[in-house]
Amino acid sequence: MDGNGRWAKKRFLPRAAGHRKGIEAVRAVTRASRDLGLEVLSLYAFSSENWRRPAEEVSDLMGLLKHFIRSDLDELAEANVRLRVIGDHGAFSPDVVEMIDGAIARTAGNTGQTLCVALNYGAQNEMVRAAKKAAAQGEVDEASVAANLDTAGLPMVDLLIRTSGEQRLSNFMLWQAAYAELLFTETLWPDFGADGLRDAIQAYAMRERRFGGL
């Protein structure tokens, strides 16, 4: 979900305004994804590298995360959405951890869409941790590593979308996206919204997936 800061800069607004507008896009996209019947929607919300940003911006992002949980958790629960968090969210402040854990627990029994949110997440670290766990269990192969990833039990990524014109994966789901279709759009995340998701799904539907075969 890239481009919040550039969206704000273009409008001579502080970066925090871009992040707030980005939350509106999150809300629109999550609703549209349910309407479209997506089994899993994953959002890269905070990477392990984002700690390098100014402390004020990190604090603002944490505030927005708490606001989203407070304002949208009831809707997610009523829509039968199960929240899944990947990454080490335990590194956040205790109040944020408590809210995240509470949201996970409240939706744990839901059987509809899975909303997977990456928080303090980095794919390389995830794969190292998974390989170490597999080794400790006595066998390292594709199945054992996959079973120890943060996303264990979830399907592989079908479509990976990156907004704002950037064309790189930035340490996101490197294992899970092995055969994903990649879609890069110039649209900044705050402007992406429901229409952007529908357009992306339509473009994905036109592609032929061969998984290495003919």
Side-chain angles (χ1 to χ4, degrees):
M1 302 184 291
D2 203 23
N4 292 346
R6 276 167 280 179
W7 183 93
K9 185 177 181 180
K10 286 174 62 176
R11 291 159 177 79
F12 304 100
L13 297 170
R15 289 179 62 85
H19 292 313
R20 287 193 291 272
K21 188 68 175 179
I23 287 292
E24 294 180 21
V26 168
R27 189 172 291 118
V29 167
T30 54
R31 290 171 178 169
S33 72
R34 297 197 296 272
D35 293 339
L36 290 165
L38 270 64
E39 179 183 352
V40 180
L41 173 69
S42 299
L43 301 173
Y44 202 0
F46 191 89
S47 78
S48 51
E49 289 77 29
N50 285 158
W51 293 109
R52 301 171 186 169
R53 296 189 177 188
E56 182 180 355
E57 183 172 355
V58 172
S59 178
D60 187 65
L61 289 168
M62 293 301 103
L64 286 172
L65 175 61
K66 291 191 292 183
H67 173 74
F68 179 77
I69 293 174
R70 283 193 296 264
S71 62
D72 287 59
L73 182 58
D74 285 346
E75 178 182 329
L76 295 175
E78 291 170 6
N80 199 28
V81 174
R82 178 173 67 115
L83 179 65
R84 178 88 171 257
V85 172
I86 62 174
D88 179 20
H89 73 279
F92 296 145
S93 62
D95 60 326
V96 175
V97 172
E98 182 179 5
M99 290 192 73
I100 294 171
D101 287 344
I104 293 171
R106 181 175 172 187
T107 62
N110 290 349
T111 57
Q113 182 190 68
T114 296
L115 177 60
C116 181
V117 182
L119 294 170
N120 193 27
Y121 171 85
Q124 291 177 328
N125 175 266
E126 176 193 28
M127 288 190 288
V128 169
R129 288 187 284 106
K132 287 181 177 179
K133 290 178 183 178
Q137 294 163 0
E139 185 172 12
V140 180
D141 56 18
E142 289 185 16
S144 62
V145 171
N148 285 287
L149 293 170
D150 294 352
T151 55
L154 295 178
M156 294 286 277
V157 175
D158 290 310
L159 172 63
L160 192 151
I161 304 167
R162 180 152 188 176
T163 58
S164 85
E166 304 291 354
Q167 297 188 28
R168 55 182 180 271
L169 298 184
S170 294
N171 204 15
F172 182 60
M173 288 193 173
L174 301 179
W175 178 286
Q176 299 87 339
Y179 280 97
E181 294 294 319
L182 307 182
L183 190 148
F184 303 107
T185 173
E186 296 290 332
T187 304
L188 302 176
W189 173 251
D191 294 325
F192 187 73
D195 289 341
L197 181 63
R198 293 189 187 97
D199 290 345
I201 297 297
Q202 185 175 23
Y204 167 80
M206 300 298 292
R207 298 187 184 184
E208 180 181 358
R209 305 184 73 199
R210 295 186 296 274
F211 299 97
L214 297 178

